[in-house]
Amino acid sequence: PKPCSNFFVVDLGAELPVIEAGLSAPASATVCDPYVLTFTLRNTGPVVARGVKVTASLPEGLQTEDRYAEVALDAGDIPPGNAREIPVRVRAVSSGDYTVVASVRSVDGVTASVEARTGVTAPVLALECDVPRQVFVGLPAKVCLTLRNVGSAPEREVRLTLPVPDGFRATEIGGGGTLRDGAVVWEWSELAAGASENLCLTLETPRRPGVLNLEAELRGRCAPVVQSRCSTRIDGVPGILVEVVDAADPVEVGDEVTYLITVTNQGLATLTAVQVVAHLASSQEFVSASGTTPGSASGGTITFETLPELKPRTDVSWRVVAKAQKADDARFGIELRSAEYERPILEMESTQQY
């Protein structure tokens, strides 16, 4: 009898590895610190997975700690039942949601794909400086600073600095600020997202007009540094002294009398548009006028031309000469006007004419 068989052989090809890939990442992170992507590769197949590589293009705004936008990992050969775990440190440059998609491939042609998402938050600092638009010489200026964390993450090691200009002195410093090396400084270990602080201090001003310029700086460990500027005018207070004196009193009818008008700026602000108008008594006749600016008479009124400005601590003068026409208890009066005063300043001198 002939031999027989009920079996036949089918070539199933070479056995292949089986790669189970995983990618883990924190659910949340901040731009202040790097975070770790962990790639896990496990060969659950019967043979060695040869030349396993991992590649990933990072989304815009995310980069490796050495500033690359691509991840390229060589896991080498992975025997059956073995695993490789490869950490990669990455850092986000701005807040947002970042999804990393990675591809795994071996020389044997085995592939896998994995992904992981992380929500990244960031602190953002804001600063405002506020001071009155005008401060008078010698009076204190109140300065207030408002800082905020308008971002989505807390900021640590926060420091606010306000340099004090020369000639000014900081007093009544609020919020726990201290004076260090010519600047007022406030510090916080942490400023929570959405938190704010309002801080005020007083600056004693020098006794001279000018401008106060301030520039505050706010910085933390992570957020960009911000500055805020504010300024105020330091104005002097006007002060006028007006003196009218007759050179002779009493005066015989027919004789002349001279009136000396002196205007002194005893304030700390320059006076502008200064003008003097003099008025003779009805018993007097105009003779002459002279002084810092020329004068002209119309009847018994003498108008002097306007003086553009009168600096602090200086004085100017005018003279009016009149003739006594008849016996009288005469009154010689003046009006002084300046742009800094809403109403004229009045002064009068009496002269007995006999």
Side-chain angles (χ1 to χ4, degrees):
K2 295 180 179 181
C4 63
S5 174
N6 293 326
F7 300 95
F8 65 94
V9 177
V10 177
D11 186 359
L12 298 178
E15 291 186 296
L16 296 175
V18 177
I19 299 176
E20 292 182 356
L23 173 59
S24 64
S28 62
T30 75
V31 298
C32 304
D33 301 295
Y35 64 94
V36 178
L37 301 173
T38 303
F39 296 88
T40 303
L41 307 169
R42 183 180 301 276
N43 182 0
T44 61
V47 296
V48 174
R50 294 177 298 125
V52 180
K53 297 182 182 295
V54 179
T55 58
S57 294
L58 299 179
E60 184 177 357
L62 190 66
Q63 57 189 15
T64 63
E65 206 166 30
D66 48 5
R67 300 183 181 278
Y68 288 105
E70 302 283 338
V71 173
L73 306 174
D74 188 352
D77 297 340
I78 304 177
N82 285 15
R84 299 276 191 275
E85 189 173 273
I86 307 173
V88 176
R89 291 169 68 86
V90 295
R91 181 186 289 271
V93 297
S94 60
S95 60
D97 290 331
Y98 295 94
T99 300
V100 176
V101 179
S103 297
V104 181
R105 179 178 291 275
S106 72
V107 171
D108 313 286
V110 177
T111 61
S113 179
V114 290
E115 67 176 54
R117 174 192 169 279
T118 299
V120 176
T121 57
V124 179
L125 298 177
L127 178 62
E128 296 176 9
C129 176
D130 182 62
V131 67
R133 294 179 59 186
Q134 179 189 47
V135 177
F136 289 111
V137 166
L139 297 182
K142 184 177 181 179
V143 182
C144 290
L145 301 170
T146 302
L147 64 136
R148 298 181 178 87
N149 181 355
V150 297
S152 51
E155 177 61 304
R156 298 189 291 275
E157 301 173 21
V158 179
R159 180 185 177 99
L160 173 61
T161 305
L162 178 67
V164 178
D166 291 341
F168 294 80
R169 191 168 73 91
T171 62
E172 300 179 19
I173 302 171
T178 58
L179 190 61
R180 307 178 198 171
D181 299 324
V184 181
V185 178
W186 294 265
E187 292 178 321
W188 298 265
S189 59
E190 181 175 288
L191 187 65
S196 65
E197 296 281 349
N198 186 60
L199 308 158
C200 295
L201 71 152
T202 298
L203 290 180
E204 293 185 358
T205 61
R207 294 194 61 81
R208 62 178 184 272
V211 178
L212 169 62
N213 294 311
L214 298 170
E215 182 175 354
E217 179 183 270
L218 179 64
R219 63 172 64 237
R221 191 178 72 87
C222 175
V225 177
V226 294
Q227 290 96 18
S228 182
R229 298 177 178 86
C230 58
S231 62
T232 184
R233 296 193 330 270
I234 301 175
D235 291 334
V237 180
I240 296 180
L241 173 63
V242 180
E243 296 174 290
V244 180
V245 178
D246 51 5
D249 188 7
V251 177
E252 190 174 351
V253 172
D255 288 346
E256 294 180 353
V257 56
T258 298
Y259 294 97
L260 176 63
I261 304 163
T262 304
V263 177
T264 302
N265 182 355
Q266 57 186 6
L268 294 171
T270 297
L271 299 171
T272 59
V274 178
Q275 185 180 43
V276 171
V277 177
H279 301 281
L280 300 178
S282 60
S283 60
Q284 296 175 325
E285 180 182 56
F286 174 74
V287 175
S288 65
S290 60
T292 302
T293 58
S296 60
S298 176
T301 299
I302 302 94
T303 303
F304 292 94
E305 292 184 12
T306 300
L307 180 67
E309 63 177 28
L310 181 60
K311 298 289 187 181
R313 308 305 186 188
T314 60
D315 61 70
V316 289
S317 61
W318 292 268
R319 289 176 181 272
V320 174
V321 179
K323 179 182 286 189
Q325 295 288 86
K326 62 179 180 178
D328 187 20
D329 180 9
R331 294 291 185 272
F332 174 83
I334 70 155
E335 300 175 23
L336 173 67
R337 297 181 184 273
S338 169
E340 287 67 35
Y341 287 81
E342 295 182 359
R343 295 178 296 173
I345 298 170
L346 307 179
E347 187 68 23
M348 188 171 289
E349 175 74 348
S350 68
T351 304
Q352 289 290 333
Q353 300 174 176
Y354 65 97

